[in-house]
Amino acid sequence: MGSGLTLGIETSCDETAAAVIKDGTEVLSNIVLSQIDIHQKYGGVVPEIASRHHIEAMFPVINEALAEAGVTLDDIEVIAVAYGPGLVGSLLVGVAAAKALAFATGIPLVGVNHIEGHIYANLLGGQEVKAPLVCLTVSGGHTDLLLIPRFGEYEILGRTRDDAAGEAFDKVARVLGLPYPGGPQIEKLAQGGNREAIFFPRGLLEKDNYDFSFSGLKTAALNFLNQAKQKGEEVHLPDFAASFQWAIIDVLTQKLMLAAEEHRVRQVVLSGGVAANGTFRNHVREEAGKRGMELLYPPVHLCTDNAAMIASAGYFSYLAGRRSDNALNAVANLRLGDY
Ligand code: KG4
Ligand code: ZN
């Protein structure tokens, strides 16, 4: 019997993260070192700068995760690392660190898909997740609607054809002069705003289509701001933010509900950074409730990038017999279900 302890490592974007979890579900430590302050002045993540900071922070963050969990490397049963999708230079730092540790200690290594990690964040809150389920993963890089018939099996029902939902939040926030990441900023600004004040277009709402498109919405929002500026009119920012946010939430929720009904699942699951949005969670909970479905989502701090979710996905992958070796490499555009 192993210790059931997994060391997770995550460096796919601008967070250097390490975590120790037990039995795939219990978080003993979860260290996330954000580089947001460094990237904020550029209005987004600068890959080269991110990689350099990952190199400096990686081992201190791993040591902190072990120390906070009160364990040493000798206690760890498996090392799990995100190897894609993401920024290749950033991913490489985590992958190299994980391979070095595994090689030096003989601890088994498992490469994890970052998106799969977001889904497994739902197992960390103590809630019971039961397949089959429909999952919507919405982050800065992805908008994927998935059917999960059994754990570890993914059928992609739809995905974005252009911008990811989080990316739309970030781009519009940037034009408003709000700091990166834009999602939480727009959510805050939208409080007290009227979501019906401005009608923004919803892309691809046909019934038989599970793909998403947010570039039309983004353009409409930017045009709205430009036209107001040209006419010298002042934009009521809470109304603008609430209407823009609502257009995204409305489309995401409608498609999620259609998919859940078609596949007759009892549970729907949210994951990824945009799932931290309170208005989104409340609306999906209400719509799921009307249909007798249960909605699950991770606690807010586990929605955005972290290593506990990577450790969870990695542990279950390890139990299923998967192992990675020293040839493991970063894959920038890794797809769900590819190993
Ligand atoms: O999952 P994540 O941390 O990183 C990626 O894998 O992309 O997601 C980050 C994205 C950003 O686009 C950010 O603006 C968005 O999630 N986000 C939110 C909220 N919190 C984070 N979007 C809307 N409302 C929020 N509260
Ligand atoms: Zn992510």
Side-chain angles (χ1 to χ4, degrees):
M1 264 300 269
S3 64
L5 293 175
T6 307
L7 171 66
I9 296 175
E10 153 66 36
T11 60
S12 66
C13 189
D14 62 335
E15 273 97 8
T16 317
V20 176
I21 70 166
K22 185 160 172 57
D23 300 332
T25 54
E26 188 190 339
V27 182
L28 303 187
S29 66
N30 188 28
I31 311 296
V32 181
L33 186 78
S34 169
Q35 304 175 6
I36 280 182
D37 294 350
I38 300 160
H39 296 281
Q40 242 164 16
K41 57 178 170 289
Y42 304 103
V45 177
V46 183
E48 182 65 21
I49 295 176
S51 315
R52 258 185 271 154
H53 283 276
H54 283 311
I55 291 171
E56 283 168 21
M58 189 75 266
F59 280 103
V61 165
I62 290 173
N63 285 333
E64 199 180 333
L66 292 169
E68 199 179 298
V71 303
T72 68
L73 268 183
D74 291 339
D75 303 312
I76 299 294
E77 184 172 352
V78 53
I79 297 173
V81 62
Y83 73 108
L87 301 171
V88 76
S90 289
L91 288 163
L92 271 172
V93 179
V95 168
K99 285 202 297 193
L101 285 179
F103 184 71
T105 58
I107 299 170
L109 173 69
V110 179
V112 173
N113 183 307
H114 176 86
I115 301 299
E116 196 168 11
H118 274 301
I119 298 166
Y120 275 79
N122 279 286
L123 270 62
L124 298 170
Q127 47 195 9
E128 211 185 324
V129 187
K130 287 170 273 182
L133 54 89
V134 168
C135 175
L136 180 60
T137 302
V138 259
S139 71
H142 297 270
T143 308
D144 292 339
L145 185 55
L146 310 164
L147 172 67
I148 303 182
R150 269 173 296 278
F151 277 103
E153 272 179 41
Y154 305 97
E155 188 185 322
I156 296 172
L157 303 174
R159 51 169 39 138
T160 184
R161 293 188 185 170
D162 38 57
D163 292 348
E167 197 179 352
F169 273 109
D170 294 337
K171 286 181 176 168
V172 168
R174 187 176 175 168
V175 171
L176 290 174
L178 298 170
Y180 173 85
Q185 301 288 332
I186 298 227
E187 182 178 16
K188 220 190 295 165
L189 189 59
Q191 277 163 18
N194 173 10
R195 69 186 194 196
E196 314 285 349
I198 308 160
F199 183 81
F200 287 121
R202 275 81 163 143
L204 306 178
L205 264 191
E206 315 86 75
K207 279 228 175 305
D208 53 352
N209 190 340
Y210 289 132
D211 278 348
F212 300 89
S213 168
F214 294 106
S215 71
L217 166 65
K218 180 189 66 190
T219 308
L222 299 184
N223 284 346
F224 182 88
L225 292 174
N226 277 335
Q227 280 166 12
K229 200 171 165 189
Q230 277 166 8
K231 289 187 214 152
E233 289 169 4
E234 203 166 312
V235 174
H236 187 270
L237 289 177
D239 282 356
F240 172 84
S243 303
F244 171 74
Q245 173 177 271
W246 184 239
I248 295 186
I249 291 174
D250 185 22
V251 174
L252 291 176
T253 310
Q254 284 197 43
K255 299 225 174 200
L256 175 58
M257 289 300 120
L258 272 179
E261 282 178 338
E262 183 189 330
H263 294 282
R264 299 172 190 279
V265 296
R266 304 301 308 275
Q267 276 191 342
V268 288
V269 170
L270 303 180
S271 69
V274 180
N277 186 291
T279 312
F280 180 39
R281 291 166 174 241
N282 290 341
H283 182 57
V284 180
R285 192 191 302 112
E286 216 170 273
E287 291 300 314
K290 282 184 200 163
R291 293 163 175 82
M293 295 167 193
E294 189 188 6
L295 169 68
L296 303 180
Y297 45 70
V300 168
H301 70 286
L302 296 174
C303 283
T304 46
D305 290 351
N306 66 83
M309 68 185 198
I310 301 300
S312 178
Y315 181 71
F316 289 103
S317 192
Y318 163 79
L319 288 187
R322 276 199 55 235
R323 301 289 182 272
S324 300
D325 60 22
N326 228 1
L328 183 70
N329 206 350
V331 182
N333 55 0
L334 184 68
R335 292 172 75 100
L336 208 51
D338 287 354
Y339 291 112

